[in-house]
Amino acid sequence: MIGRLNHVAIATADIEASAALYKNTLASEDQVSAPKQLPEHGVTTVFIDTGNSKIELLEPLGDNSPIAAFLERNPAGGVHHLCFEVEDLESAVNKLTAEGYRVLGKPKIGAHGLPVVFLHPKDFGGVLMELEQVS
Ligand code: CO
């Protein structure tokens, strides 16, 4: 069902510092995007283009950020979720739900303007999974 790894999301309390870390070490300047505020998602993002995938740095934005609780538990930041591409999100959701896996809410338009859903980390070995429809 899943296709390519779209991104690995890393939560950080200081996105400027995290972006600088990549620019100064593992990535070149042109692989690291400028910060972008997404108020409707409660995050500021920076993307690091790795060629075959992306790292998505996430910093909380506003009061009800979906990553605030994660950063309370992990003040130094860390891997927040993995996002895999699927061809047909609705059929993926129907299949997983029928098999008893917990889908968190209804599919909605994600940070890249495409439909996404999240799957409960307790059903996936402690990893929060995001599925993104790409076709
Ligand atoms: Co994501």
Side-chain angles (χ1 to χ4, degrees), residues 47-79:
F47 283 99
I48 299 153
D49 186 348
T50 63
N52 66 340
S53 192
K54 293 179 285 253
I55 295 169
E56 179 183 52
L57 301 176
L58 298 173
E59 181 188 70
L61 175 66
D63 286 337
N64 291 307
S65 176
I67 61 166
F70 179 89
L71 281 169
E72 269 166 38
R73 291 192 305 273
N74 306 278
V79 174

PDB file of all heavy atoms in Angstrom, residues 47-79:
ATOM      1  N   PHE A  47      11.972  22.805   5.125  1.00  0.00           N
ATOM      2  CA  PHE A  47      12.207  21.531   4.442  1.00  0.00           C
ATOM      3  C   PHE A  47      13.671  21.395   4.053  1.00  0.00           C
ATOM      4  O   PHE A  47      14.288  22.350   3.582  1.00  0.00           O
ATOM      5  CB  PHE A  47      11.344  21.413   3.189  1.00  0.00           C
ATOM      6  CG  PHE A  47       9.925  21.068   3.518  1.00  0.00           C
ATOM      7  CD1 PHE A  47       8.961  22.047   3.570  1.00  0.00           C
ATOM      8  CD2 PHE A  47       9.574  19.764   3.817  1.00  0.00           C
ATOM      9  CE1 PHE A  47       7.655  21.738   3.915  1.00  0.00           C
ATOM     10  CE2 PHE A  47       8.272  19.439   4.158  1.00  0.00           C
ATOM     11  CZ  PHE A  47       7.315  20.429   4.202  1.00  0.00           C
ATOM     12  N   ILE A  48      14.174  20.204   4.238  1.00  0.00           N
ATOM     13  CA  ILE A  48      15.519  19.876   3.788  1.00  0.00           C
ATOM     14  C   ILE A  48      15.371  18.804   2.726  1.00  0.00           C
ATOM     15  O   ILE A  48      14.838  17.715   3.001  1.00  0.00           O
ATOM     16  CB  ILE A  48      16.381  19.387   4.967  1.00  0.00           C
ATOM     17  CG1 ILE A  48      16.469  20.512   6.002  1.00  0.00           C
ATOM     18  CG2 ILE A  48      17.760  18.964   4.482  1.00  0.00           C
ATOM     19  CD1 ILE A  48      16.695  20.037   7.393  1.00  0.00           C
ATOM     20  N   ASP A  49      15.746  19.140   1.525  1.00  0.00           N
ATOM     21  CA  ASP A  49      15.577  18.251   0.378  1.00  0.00           C
ATOM     22  C   ASP A  49      16.766  17.298   0.310  1.00  0.00           C
ATOM     23  O   ASP A  49      17.906  17.733   0.131  1.00  0.00           O
ATOM     24  CB  ASP A  49      15.493  19.097  -0.893  1.00  0.00           C
ATOM     25  CG  ASP A  49      15.182  18.262  -2.118  1.00  0.00           C
ATOM     26  OD1 ASP A  49      15.249  17.017  -2.035  1.00  0.00           O
ATOM     27  OD2 ASP A  49      14.881  18.867  -3.155  1.00  0.00           O
ATOM     28  N   THR A  50      16.473  16.011   0.475  1.00  0.00           N
ATOM     29  CA  THR A  50      17.553  15.030   0.445  1.00  0.00           C
ATOM     30  C   THR A  50      17.614  14.288  -0.890  1.00  0.00           C
ATOM     31  O   THR A  50      18.283  13.270  -1.011  1.00  0.00           O
ATOM     32  CB  THR A  50      17.387  13.997   1.581  1.00  0.00           C
ATOM     33  OG1 THR A  50      16.174  13.276   1.361  1.00  0.00           O
ATOM     34  CG2 THR A  50      17.335  14.673   2.938  1.00  0.00           C
ATOM     35  N   GLY A  51      16.891  14.783  -1.886  1.00  0.00           N
ATOM     36  CA  GLY A  51      16.915  14.136  -3.204  1.00  0.00           C
ATOM     37  C   GLY A  51      15.855  13.066  -3.313  1.00  0.00           C
ATOM     38  O   GLY A  51      14.918  13.193  -4.091  1.00  0.00           O
ATOM     39  N   ASN A  52      15.966  11.999  -2.515  1.00  0.00           N
ATOM     40  CA  ASN A  52      14.953  10.939  -2.581  1.00  0.00           C
ATOM     41  C   ASN A  52      13.836  11.142  -1.572  1.00  0.00           C
ATOM     42  O   ASN A  52      12.851  10.413  -1.581  1.00  0.00           O
ATOM     43  CB  ASN A  52      15.588   9.559  -2.376  1.00  0.00           C
ATOM     44  CG  ASN A  52      16.156   9.387  -0.992  1.00  0.00           C
ATOM     45  OD1 ASN A  52      16.424  10.366  -0.292  1.00  0.00           O
ATOM     46  ND2 ASN A  52      16.361   8.158  -0.597  1.00  0.00           N
ATOM     47  N   SER A  53      13.992  12.111  -0.666  1.00  0.00           N
ATOM     48  CA  SER A  53      12.962  12.375   0.331  1.00  0.00           C
ATOM     49  C   SER A  53      13.205  13.757   0.928  1.00  0.00           C
ATOM     50  O   SER A  53      13.944  14.561   0.353  1.00  0.00           O
ATOM     51  CB  SER A  53      12.962  11.279   1.407  1.00  0.00           C
ATOM     52  OG  SER A  53      11.798  11.386   2.200  1.00  0.00           O
ATOM     53  N   LYS A  54      12.575  14.034   2.065  1.00  0.00           N
ATOM     54  CA  LYS A  54      12.724  15.335   2.716  1.00  0.00           C
ATOM     55  C   LYS A  54      12.766  15.142   4.223  1.00  0.00           C
ATOM     56  O   LYS A  54      12.163  14.204   4.754  1.00  0.00           O
ATOM     57  CB  LYS A  54      11.521  16.246   2.408  1.00  0.00           C
ATOM     58  CG  LYS A  54      11.396  16.672   0.963  1.00  0.00           C
ATOM     59  CD  LYS A  54      10.178  17.540   0.738  1.00  0.00           C
ATOM     60  CE  LYS A  54       8.904  16.765   0.749  1.00  0.00           C
ATOM     61  NZ  LYS A  54       8.184  16.506  -0.438  1.00  0.00           N
ATOM     62  N   ILE A  55      13.445  16.045   4.872  1.00  0.00           N
ATOM     63  CA  ILE A  55      13.282  16.213   6.320  1.00  0.00           C
ATOM     64  C   ILE A  55      12.421  17.451   6.484  1.00  0.00           C
ATOM     65  O   ILE A  55      12.642  18.466   5.804  1.00  0.00           O
ATOM     66  CB  ILE A  55      14.634  16.401   7.025  1.00  0.00           C
ATOM     67  CG1 ILE A  55      15.477  15.141   6.887  1.00  0.00           C
ATOM     68  CG2 ILE A  55      14.427  16.762   8.497  1.00  0.00           C
ATOM     69  CD1 ILE A  55      16.919  15.324   7.326  1.00  0.00           C
ATOM     70  N   GLU A  56      11.423  17.354   7.346  1.00  0.00           N
ATOM     71  CA  GLU A  56      10.525  18.479   7.616  1.00  0.00           C
ATOM     72  C   GLU A  56      10.747  18.894   9.065  1.00  0.00           C
ATOM     73  O   GLU A  56      10.375  18.153   9.984  1.00  0.00           O
ATOM     74  CB  GLU A  56       9.080  18.021   7.401  1.00  0.00           C
ATOM     75  CG  GLU A  56       8.038  19.069   7.654  1.00  0.00           C
ATOM     76  CD  GLU A  56       6.627  18.504   7.487  1.00  0.00           C
ATOM     77  OE1 GLU A  56       6.315  17.469   8.099  1.00  0.00           O
ATOM     78  OE2 GLU A  56       5.851  19.089   6.740  1.00  0.00           O
ATOM     79  N   LEU A  57      11.381  20.039   9.266  1.00  0.00           N
ATOM     80  CA  LEU A  57      11.532  20.558  10.627  1.00  0.00           C
ATOM     81  C   LEU A  57      10.236  21.255  11.008  1.00  0.00           C
ATOM     82  O   LEU A  57       9.673  22.005  10.205  1.00  0.00           O
ATOM     83  CB  LEU A  57      12.703  21.539  10.698  1.00  0.00           C
ATOM     84  CG  LEU A  57      14.072  20.989  10.297  1.00  0.00           C
ATOM     85  CD1 LEU A  57      15.109  22.114  10.320  1.00  0.00           C
ATOM     86  CD2 LEU A  57      14.495  19.850  11.207  1.00  0.00           C
ATOM     87  N   LEU A  58       9.761  21.017  12.227  1.00  0.00           N
ATOM     88  CA  LEU A  58       8.502  21.584  12.713  1.00  0.00           C
ATOM     89  C   LEU A  58       8.732  22.308  14.021  1.00  0.00           C
ATOM     90  O   LEU A  58       9.260  21.716  14.964  1.00  0.00           O
ATOM     91  CB  LEU A  58       7.475  20.467  12.975  1.00  0.00           C
ATOM     92  CG  LEU A  58       7.018  19.597  11.818  1.00  0.00           C
ATOM     93  CD1 LEU A  58       6.152  18.465  12.343  1.00  0.00           C
ATOM     94  CD2 LEU A  58       6.248  20.437  10.815  1.00  0.00           C
ATOM     95  N   GLU A  59       8.319  23.567  14.075  1.00  0.00           N
ATOM     96  CA  GLU A  59       8.364  24.341  15.316  1.00  0.00           C
ATOM     97  C   GLU A  59       6.933  24.755  15.646  1.00  0.00           C
ATOM     98  O   GLU A  59       6.187  25.145  14.737  1.00  0.00           O
ATOM     99  CB  GLU A  59       9.237  25.584  15.104  1.00  0.00           C
ATOM    100  CG  GLU A  59       9.386  26.460  16.337  1.00  0.00           C
ATOM    101  CD  GLU A  59      10.105  27.761  15.989  1.00  0.00           C
ATOM    102  OE1 GLU A  59       9.506  28.608  15.295  1.00  0.00           O
ATOM    103  OE2 GLU A  59      11.259  27.931  16.394  1.00  0.00           O
ATOM    104  N   PRO A  60       6.530  24.691  16.917  1.00  0.00           N
ATOM    105  CA  PRO A  60       5.161  25.098  17.257  1.00  0.00           C
ATOM    106  C   PRO A  60       4.893  26.544  16.874  1.00  0.00           C
ATOM    107  O   PRO A  60       5.775  27.399  16.989  1.00  0.00           O
ATOM    108  CB  PRO A  60       5.085  24.946  18.779  1.00  0.00           C
ATOM    109  CG  PRO A  60       6.241  24.093  19.156  1.00  0.00           C
ATOM    110  CD  PRO A  60       7.293  24.282  18.100  1.00  0.00           C
ATOM    111  N   LEU A  61       3.657  26.795  16.428  1.00  0.00           N
ATOM    112  CA  LEU A  61       3.225  28.151  16.084  1.00  0.00           C
ATOM    113  C   LEU A  61       1.840  28.349  16.689  1.00  0.00           C
ATOM    114  O   LEU A  61       0.935  27.559  16.421  1.00  0.00           O
ATOM    115  CB  LEU A  61       3.181  28.305  14.560  1.00  0.00           C
ATOM    116  CG  LEU A  61       2.647  29.629  14.014  1.00  0.00           C
ATOM    117  CD1 LEU A  61       3.582  30.788  14.363  1.00  0.00           C
ATOM    118  CD2 LEU A  61       2.486  29.551  12.493  1.00  0.00           C
ATOM    119  N   GLY A  62       1.701  29.376  17.524  1.00  0.00           N
ATOM    120  CA  GLY A  62       0.385  29.668  18.113  1.00  0.00           C
ATOM    121  C   GLY A  62       0.091  28.791  19.324  1.00  0.00           C
ATOM    122  O   GLY A  62       0.949  28.053  19.801  1.00  0.00           O
ATOM    123  N   ASP A  63      -1.155  28.888  19.785  1.00  0.00           N
ATOM    124  CA  ASP A  63      -1.520  28.297  21.074  1.00  0.00           C
ATOM    125  C   ASP A  63      -1.809  26.808  21.036  1.00  0.00           C
ATOM    126  O   ASP A  63      -1.441  26.089  21.932  1.00  0.00           O
ATOM    127  CB  ASP A  63      -2.751  29.015  21.644  1.00  0.00           C
ATOM    128  CG  ASP A  63      -2.380  30.384  22.162  1.00  0.00           C
ATOM    129  OD1 ASP A  63      -1.182  30.586  22.475  1.00  0.00           O
ATOM    130  OD2 ASP A  63      -3.277  31.249  22.237  1.00  0.00           O
ATOM    131  N   ASN A  64      -2.456  26.328  19.993  1.00  0.00           N
ATOM    132  CA  ASN A  64      -2.871  24.919  19.999  1.00  0.00           C
ATOM    133  C   ASN A  64      -2.065  24.094  19.006  1.00  0.00           C
ATOM    134  O   ASN A  64      -2.615  23.323  18.238  1.00  0.00           O
ATOM    135  CB  ASN A  64      -4.360  24.807  19.693  1.00  0.00           C
ATOM    136  CG  ASN A  64      -5.197  25.364  20.827  1.00  0.00           C
ATOM    137  OD1 ASN A  64      -5.010  24.967  21.986  1.00  0.00           O
ATOM    138  ND2 ASN A  64      -6.077  26.297  20.527  1.00  0.00           N
ATOM    139  N   SER A  65      -0.741  24.255  19.059  1.00  0.00           N
ATOM    140  CA  SER A  65       0.074  23.527  18.097  1.00  0.00           C
ATOM    141  C   SER A  65      -0.012  22.025  18.343  1.00  0.00           C
ATOM    142  O   SER A  65       0.094  21.566  19.479  1.00  0.00           O
ATOM    143  CB  SER A  65       1.530  23.969  18.197  1.00  0.00           C
ATOM    144  OG  SER A  65       2.304  23.173  17.323  1.00  0.00           O
ATOM    145  N   PRO A  66      -0.175  21.235  17.274  1.00  0.00           N
ATOM    146  CA  PRO A  66      -0.233  19.778  17.439  1.00  0.00           C
ATOM    147  C   PRO A  66       1.098  19.176  17.905  1.00  0.00           C
ATOM    148  O   PRO A  66       1.126  18.002  18.277  1.00  0.00           O
ATOM    149  CB  PRO A  66      -0.615  19.266  16.047  1.00  0.00           C
ATOM    150  CG  PRO A  66      -0.239  20.355  15.114  1.00  0.00           C
ATOM    151  CD  PRO A  66      -0.368  21.649  15.882  1.00  0.00           C
ATOM    152  N   ILE A  67       2.179  19.937  17.879  1.00  0.00           N
ATOM    153  CA  ILE A  67       3.452  19.363  18.335  1.00  0.00           C
ATOM    154  C   ILE A  67       3.881  19.879  19.708  1.00  0.00           C
ATOM    155  O   ILE A  67       4.934  19.494  20.216  1.00  0.00           O
ATOM    156  CB  ILE A  67       4.587  19.580  17.305  1.00  0.00           C
ATOM    157  CG1 ILE A  67       4.847  21.058  17.066  1.00  0.00           C
ATOM    158  CG2 ILE A  67       4.292  18.862  16.013  1.00  0.00           C
ATOM    159  CD1 ILE A  67       6.154  21.297  16.329  1.00  0.00           C
ATOM    160  N   ALA A  68       3.042  20.725  20.346  1.00  0.00           N
ATOM    161  CA  ALA A  68       3.407  21.287  21.653  1.00  0.00           C
ATOM    162  C   ALA A  68       3.594  20.194  22.706  1.00  0.00           C
ATOM    163  O   ALA A  68       4.578  20.200  23.460  1.00  0.00           O
ATOM    164  CB  ALA A  68       2.357  22.297  22.100  1.00  0.00           C
ATOM    165  N   ALA A  69       2.661  19.241  22.745  1.00  0.00           N
ATOM    166  CA  ALA A  69       2.744  18.190  23.771  1.00  0.00           C
ATOM    167  C   ALA A  69       3.992  17.329  23.564  1.00  0.00           C
ATOM    168  O   ALA A  69       4.660  16.944  24.519  1.00  0.00           O
ATOM    169  CB  ALA A  69       1.486  17.326  23.736  1.00  0.00           C
ATOM    170  N   PHE A  70       4.309  17.060  22.298  1.00  0.00           N
ATOM    171  CA  PHE A  70       5.513  16.271  21.997  1.00  0.00           C
ATOM    172  C   PHE A  70       6.760  16.964  22.537  1.00  0.00           C
ATOM    173  O   PHE A  70       7.640  16.335  23.135  1.00  0.00           O
ATOM    174  CB  PHE A  70       5.629  16.052  20.483  1.00  0.00           C
ATOM    175  CG  PHE A  70       6.852  15.272  20.068  1.00  0.00           C
ATOM    176  CD1 PHE A  70       6.811  13.887  19.990  1.00  0.00           C
ATOM    177  CD2 PHE A  70       8.038  15.924  19.762  1.00  0.00           C
ATOM    178  CE1 PHE A  70       7.939  13.170  19.613  1.00  0.00           C
ATOM    179  CE2 PHE A  70       9.165  15.210  19.389  1.00  0.00           C
ATOM    180  CZ  PHE A  70       9.119  13.829  19.309  1.00  0.00           C
ATOM    181  N   LEU A  71       6.834  18.288  22.339  1.00  0.00           N
ATOM    182  CA  LEU A  71       8.017  19.018  22.801  1.00  0.00           C
ATOM    183  C   LEU A  71       8.051  19.148  24.324  1.00  0.00           C
ATOM    184  O   LEU A  71       9.126  19.266  24.904  1.00  0.00           O
ATOM    185  CB  LEU A  71       8.103  20.389  22.126  1.00  0.00           C
ATOM    186  CG  LEU A  71       8.640  20.335  20.697  1.00  0.00           C
ATOM    187  CD1 LEU A  71       8.449  21.673  20.001  1.00  0.00           C
ATOM    188  CD2 LEU A  71      10.109  19.925  20.657  1.00  0.00           C
ATOM    189  N   GLU A  72       6.874  19.099  24.949  1.00  0.00           N
ATOM    190  CA  GLU A  72       6.878  19.073  26.417  1.00  0.00           C
ATOM    191  C   GLU A  72       7.506  17.773  26.915  1.00  0.00           C
ATOM    192  O   GLU A  72       8.270  17.761  27.866  1.00  0.00           O
ATOM    193  CB  GLU A  72       5.454  19.205  26.969  1.00  0.00           C
ATOM    194  CG  GLU A  72       5.072  20.660  27.227  1.00  0.00           C
ATOM    195  CD  GLU A  72       3.577  20.834  27.450  1.00  0.00           C
ATOM    196  OE1 GLU A  72       2.960  19.949  28.091  1.00  0.00           O
ATOM    197  OE2 GLU A  72       3.036  21.839  26.960  1.00  0.00           O
ATOM    198  N   ARG A  73       7.179  16.685  26.234  1.00  0.00           N
ATOM    199  CA  ARG A  73       7.758  15.383  26.626  1.00  0.00           C
ATOM    200  C   ARG A  73       9.200  15.234  26.165  1.00  0.00           C
ATOM    201  O   ARG A  73       9.973  14.489  26.755  1.00  0.00           O
ATOM    202  CB  ARG A  73       6.932  14.235  26.023  1.00  0.00           C
ATOM    203  CG  ARG A  73       5.545  14.081  26.612  1.00  0.00           C
ATOM    204  CD  ARG A  73       4.905  12.751  26.178  1.00  0.00           C
ATOM    205  NE  ARG A  73       4.859  12.570  24.741  1.00  0.00           N
ATOM    206  CZ  ARG A  73       3.867  13.019  23.961  1.00  0.00           C
ATOM    207  NH1 ARG A  73       2.853  13.660  24.496  1.00  0.00           N
ATOM    208  NH2 ARG A  73       3.899  12.811  22.664  1.00  0.00           N
ATOM    209  N   ASN A  74       9.544  15.923  25.085  1.00  0.00           N
ATOM    210  CA  ASN A  74      10.885  15.800  24.478  1.00  0.00           C
ATOM    211  C   ASN A  74      11.444  17.204  24.232  1.00  0.00           C
ATOM    212  O   ASN A  74      11.467  17.681  23.084  1.00  0.00           O
ATOM    213  CB  ASN A  74      10.812  15.050  23.137  1.00  0.00           C
ATOM    214  CG  ASN A  74      10.133  13.699  23.259  1.00  0.00           C
ATOM    215  OD1 ASN A  74      10.747  12.715  23.646  1.00  0.00           O
ATOM    216  ND2 ASN A  74       8.841  13.662  22.937  1.00  0.00           N
ATOM    217  N   PRO A  75      11.880  17.874  25.284  1.00  0.00           N
ATOM    218  CA  PRO A  75      12.270  19.284  25.137  1.00  0.00           C
ATOM    219  C   PRO A  75      13.416  19.516  24.141  1.00  0.00           C
ATOM    220  O   PRO A  75      13.512  20.593  23.560  1.00  0.00           O
ATOM    221  CB  PRO A  75      12.702  19.691  26.556  1.00  0.00           C
ATOM    222  CG  PRO A  75      12.143  18.654  27.460  1.00  0.00           C
ATOM    223  CD  PRO A  75      11.983  17.404  26.673  1.00  0.00           C
ATOM    224  N   ALA A  76      14.239  18.509  23.935  1.00  0.00           N
ATOM    225  CA  ALA A  76      15.342  18.663  22.989  1.00  0.00           C
ATOM    226  C   ALA A  76      14.901  18.404  21.547  1.00  0.00           C
ATOM    227  O   ALA A  76      15.707  18.499  20.621  1.00  0.00           O
ATOM    228  CB  ALA A  76      16.484  17.721  23.359  1.00  0.00           C
ATOM    229  N   GLY A  77      13.608  18.068  21.359  1.00  0.00           N
ATOM    230  CA  GLY A  77      13.118  17.759  20.023  1.00  0.00           C
ATOM    231  C   GLY A  77      13.357  16.295  19.684  1.00  0.00           C
ATOM    232  O   GLY A  77      13.822  15.520  20.519  1.00  0.00           O
ATOM    233  N   GLY A  78      13.024  15.921  18.450  1.00  0.00           N
ATOM    234  CA  GLY A  78      13.221  14.536  18.028  1.00  0.00           C
ATOM    235  C   GLY A  78      12.318  14.183  16.870  1.00  0.00           C
ATOM    236  O   GLY A  78      11.548  15.022  16.389  1.00  0.00           O
ATOM    237  N   VAL A  79      12.421  12.927  16.427  1.00  0.00           N
ATOM    238  CA  VAL A  79      11.602  12.478  15.301  1.00  0.00           C
ATOM    239  C   VAL A  79      10.135  12.435  15.745  1.00  0.00           C
ATOM    240  O   VAL A  79       9.800  11.791  16.734  1.00  0.00           O
ATOM    241  CB  VAL A  79      12.049  11.087  14.797  1.00  0.00           C
ATOM    242  CG1 VAL A  79      11.096  10.583  13.717  1.00  0.00           C
ATOM    243  CG2 VAL A  79      13.474  11.164  14.253  1.00  0.00           C
TER     244      VAL A  79
END
